[in-house]
Amino acid sequence: MKDLAAELTRLQHEHLYRRRRIIDGPQGVHLSVDGQKLLSFCSNDYLGLANHPDVVKAMQDGITHWGVGSGASHLVNGHSVAHHALEEELAAFTGRPRALLFSTGYMANMGVIAALCGRGDFVFEDRLNHASLLDGGLLSQARLQRYAHADSNALALKLAKRDSGEKLVVTDGVFSMDGDLAPLPELSQTAKQHDAWLMVDDAHGFGVLGEHGGGCVEHFGLNMKEVPILIGTLGKAFGTFGAFVAGSDELIEYLIQKARPYIYTTALPPALAEATRISLKLIQNEHWRREKLQTLIKQFRQGTTELGLQLMESSTPIQPLVIGDNAKALAMSAALLEKGILISAIRPPTVPEGTARLRITFSAEHSESDVEHLLNALEQIK
Ligand SMILES: *Cc1c(COP(=O)(O)O)cnc(C)c1O
């Protein structure tokens, strides 16, 4: 039997041990954590919708109307009017004919990749793709090939070596730990030239990028021919929970028949779908939230330049400060904590070996003085 204690000790020695902090109270930029009041810069609630009064009210009203549990999977009797309406609104939002709700983004990625590919097929993934995309590739039992980060030429070379089987190219839209964008116009052309599908997981782009929050595909102006498989998650800028796939009618019908993580799981609570419908309206209408983010990002990047801190190239609310060493990243996170600032240290295997970092994220609910406060703290600890 595996020596669990030894493995736990090894993780501690290598500064890779993970601990959960206990949050008391709703998600927001001001958090009560283990009894301490903190200013948080590590949430994915980019637009500040997780505790928005209208979203909260929609969920409360939803519960009054629908009760709490959905009772069954979508294919048995768990698929409600609320789920269906949200799917239609997400389809309209993404400019695709259909959208299909999944219970989580992790499951959507596993479900889609494994439904489309199997033994004898090929899945091509960016080296820095999210774990759920890599796990989807493994679950499919197709040959998984990873290409150099954001490099469409490297992808083309790998695609050119394969002339049989399905070919599926999979990428994050906004890379979750780096904040940069995939070169989608080039990837889409490369995929098309090699008769491959392109699947984009825009978990961190929806709500944040594009004039109406339509994410990377709106930002780059890409239609369904260019990005036939589009994934969004609802637990980040949407501020709720769950995920969706948007695409053609055939794609969605096929997934309903074949995607096991869709078929064999309980549908989301319908009240959550009601809350997400309101959050979608806020995303589309409240442009100021995206503008506010851009103001904060600009202020932060200017401030760090003045401090001589080197940030990664990113125009999104994900602004990582790469430290390198695991222990040093942990120490910096702890020093910030003493100053009342919560930013977690992200370490391998979430990021490549030797690139441990402070993953700093912004929310439209942050103020400019919050950013000033963060810059002052970074100056003191650097
Ligand atoms: C968070 C995330 C997911 C997982 O979504 P959940 O709904 O939290 O399961 C998938 N892909 C990317 C890129 C993510 O950042």
Side-chain angles (χ1 to χ4, degrees):
M1 269 189 336
K2 192 173 179 140
D3 188 343
L4 304 184
E7 175 64 6
L8 291 172
T9 306
R10 182 190 72 81
L11 289 172
Q12 272 176 335
H13 281 155
E14 292 176 20
H15 306 283
L16 291 173
Y17 202 84
R18 292 154 188 252
R19 285 189 175 78
R20 300 171 304 170
R21 294 195 179 85
I22 301 178
I23 312 292
D24 187 7
Q27 189 56 229
V29 300
H30 299 284
L31 287 181
S32 168
V33 185
D34 297 324
Q36 195 188 354
K37 293 265 180 269
L38 297 175
L39 179 58
S40 161
F41 290 96
C42 53
S43 172
N44 299 318
D45 179 25
Y46 304 118
L47 299 180
L49 298 182
N51 190 34
H52 188 289
D54 296 355
V55 179
V56 170
K57 172 100 180 8
M59 182 118 170
Q60 286 166 339
D61 292 350
I63 286 174
T64 304
H65 186 87
W66 297 103
V68 176
S70 68
S73 68
H74 286 276
L75 290 179
V76 177
N77 68 355
H79 187 66
S80 71
V81 170
H83 296 113
H84 207 72
L86 174 58
E87 288 184 343
E88 286 177 349
E89 288 158 10
L90 287 167
F93 172 57
T94 55
R96 268 71 178 159
R98 296 275 299 273
L100 184 69
L101 281 174
F102 275 74
S103 292
T104 71
Y106 206 114
M107 292 166 79
N109 286 338
M110 304 269 279
V112 173
I113 298 173
L116 291 174
C117 294
R119 278 206 182 85
D121 297 330
F122 297 91
V123 177
F124 301 86
E125 300 216 21
D126 188 290
R127 220 161 239 304
L128 298 185
N129 271 358
H130 189 263
S132 58
L133 294 171
L134 298 170
D135 289 357
L138 294 174
L139 179 69
S140 74
Q141 304 192 40
R143 278 277 294 278
L144 177 60
Q145 305 224 293
R146 299 172 78 174
Y147 59 88
H149 177 53
D151 187 342
S152 58
N153 294 325
L155 169 65
L157 290 176
K158 293 203 187 277
L159 278 165
K161 291 196 191 130
R162 305 297 170 188
D163 51 14
S164 66
E166 285 295 323
K167 290 180 265 188
L168 173 66
V169 175
V170 181
T171 184
D172 279 26
V174 172
F175 286 89
S176 56
M177 296 300 135
D178 296 67
D180 59 335
L181 272 60
L184 293 186
E186 290 84 351
L187 291 175
S188 122
Q189 263 203 332
T190 306
K192 209 184 290 173
Q193 277 161 7
H194 293 89
D195 199 24
W197 296 86
L198 176 60
M199 167 171 166
V200 175
D201 172 2
D202 205 15
H204 299 273
F206 276 114
V208 168
L209 296 176
E211 170 155 10
H212 299 95
C216 279
V217 293
E218 191 188 5
H219 173 84
F220 287 116
L222 297 173
N223 62 26
M224 194 171 76
K225 281 215 177 78
E226 290 150 322
V227 178
I229 309 167
L230 182 58
I231 311 282
T233 67
L234 305 172
K236 284 152 188 164
F238 278 84
T240 61
F241 187 84
F244 65 90
V245 181
S248 70
D249 191 40
E250 292 77 21
L251 173 71
I252 300 304
E253 280 302 316
Y254 181 85
L255 293 175
I256 292 172
Q257 315 307 316
K258 300 271 190 173
R260 292 166 63 90
Y262 179 78
I263 299 168
Y264 297 105
T265 202
T266 300
L268 291 170
L272 204 49
E274 298 286 21
T276 307
R277 295 177 67 192
I278 296 303
S279 141
L280 176 59
K281 287 209 174 83
L282 292 167
I283 285 180
Q284 289 175 285
N285 299 331
E286 299 203 343
H287 300 278
W288 69 264
R289 293 179 187 274
R290 281 179 285 283
E291 286 157 16
K292 174 79 173 296
L293 276 172
Q294 284 310 317
T295 308
L296 299 171
I297 293 164
K298 201 167 152 213
Q299 180 195 355
F300 179 68
R301 291 190 70 90
Q302 245 160 27
T304 48
T305 304
E306 282 159 24
L307 293 179
L309 291 171
Q310 185 72 41
L311 290 175
M312 299 183 80
E313 209 40 64
S314 162
S315 57
T316 68
I318 305 169
Q319 294 287 329
L321 188 58
V322 173
I323 310 298
D325 181 61
N326 297 334
K328 199 170 160 209
L330 279 176
M332 283 186 73
S333 170
L336 287 168
L337 202 60
E338 278 187 15
K339 302 197 172 300
I341 290 177
L342 179 65
I343 300 174
S344 50
I346 306 285
R347 292 157 288 160
T350 309
V351 293
E353 211 57 61
T355 69
R357 66 197 65 182
L358 296 177
R359 179 177 179 270
I360 300 166
T361 60
F362 294 100
S363 157
E365 292 291 310
H366 281 123
S367 66
E368 287 167 51
S369 70
D370 290 336
V371 175
E372 202 54 50
H373 191 63
L374 170 61
L375 287 166
N376 289 338
L378 286 171
E379 180 170 25
Q380 286 162 28
I381 68 159
K382 78 175 176 166

